[in-house]
Amino acid sequence: MDFNFSGSFDVPHEPAAVYDFLADPGRFAPLLPDFESIEKTGEDQYTVKLRVGISHIYGTASVRLRLAETNPPLHAAYEGKGDVPGGTTALRAGFDLEPAGEGTRVNWTGRALIAGRLPSLAGGLLEPLARKNFDRLIDGLKAALI
């Protein structure tokens, strides 16, 4: 199953400050829904552990996350691949920044591709859960950047 989401929000900081926050996995990753831990495993590479649960499937997802694209102070994108209970996942979260009045408009995109038994076991519950988790991430980013 492939999920794509996008949106934008404004924050009262200049693009360079917003970029510095978004491009720091130590600050960004703890805002992921159900965050457990982050460990640096190499240059710009991290392992992020998240609690996951849907229907009767619960456990820990281990995602290898990297800051895949940077163009300070206008663009940052993360990519991740990992194992989730009942399947695998590939993730992408991208941020394009532009000045907006006294602050910055953050245009974001998110993609989650989930493969394996999980999509068939969880059925129609996956899309609402993916939407909810992207919304929680964006709400966390907004709160952290205000």
Side-chain angles (χ1 to χ4, degrees):
M1 294 187 118
D2 193 3
F3 306 104
N4 293 284
F5 304 106
S6 63
S8 65
F9 60 91
D10 294 338
V11 295
H13 303 288
E14 61 185 49
V18 176
Y19 175 86
D20 288 345
F21 181 89
L22 292 173
D24 181 349
R27 295 169 75 186
F28 173 81
L31 298 175
L32 292 167
D34 302 315
F35 172 82
E36 285 186 353
S37 66
I38 182 171
E39 176 186 350
K40 186 170 183 162
T41 57
E43 186 65 32
D44 292 328
Q45 296 185 9
Y46 301 82
T47 297
V48 177
K49 296 200 181 223
L50 308 164
R51 289 180 307 278
V52 294
I54 186 166
S55 186
H56 60 281
I57 303 165
Y58 291 91
T60 298
S62 181
V63 178
R64 294 170 306 282
L65 185 70
R66 71 184 185 95
L67 185 58
E69 297 174 11
T70 61
N71 180 15
L74 302 174
H75 175 76
Y78 287 91
E79 291 181 350
K81 292 183 181 180
D83 299 314
V84 297
T88 61
T89 187
L91 307 168
R92 180 172 173 83
F95 304 94
D96 290 300
L97 311 176
E98 60 185 64
E102 297 288 318
T104 300
R105 172 157 294 134
V106 179
N107 300 299
W108 63 271
T109 59
R111 180 177 187 208
L113 177 63
I114 301 170
R117 293 180 312 136
L118 182 61
S120 63
L121 293 172
L125 299 174
L126 272 181
E127 184 171 0
L129 179 63
R131 164 52 75 191
K132 179 178 136 187
N133 284 338
F134 272 107
D135 288 346
R136 286 176 57 200
L137 171 61
I138 297 306
D139 288 344
L141 287 172
K142 285 191 246 185
L145 290 166
I146 290 183

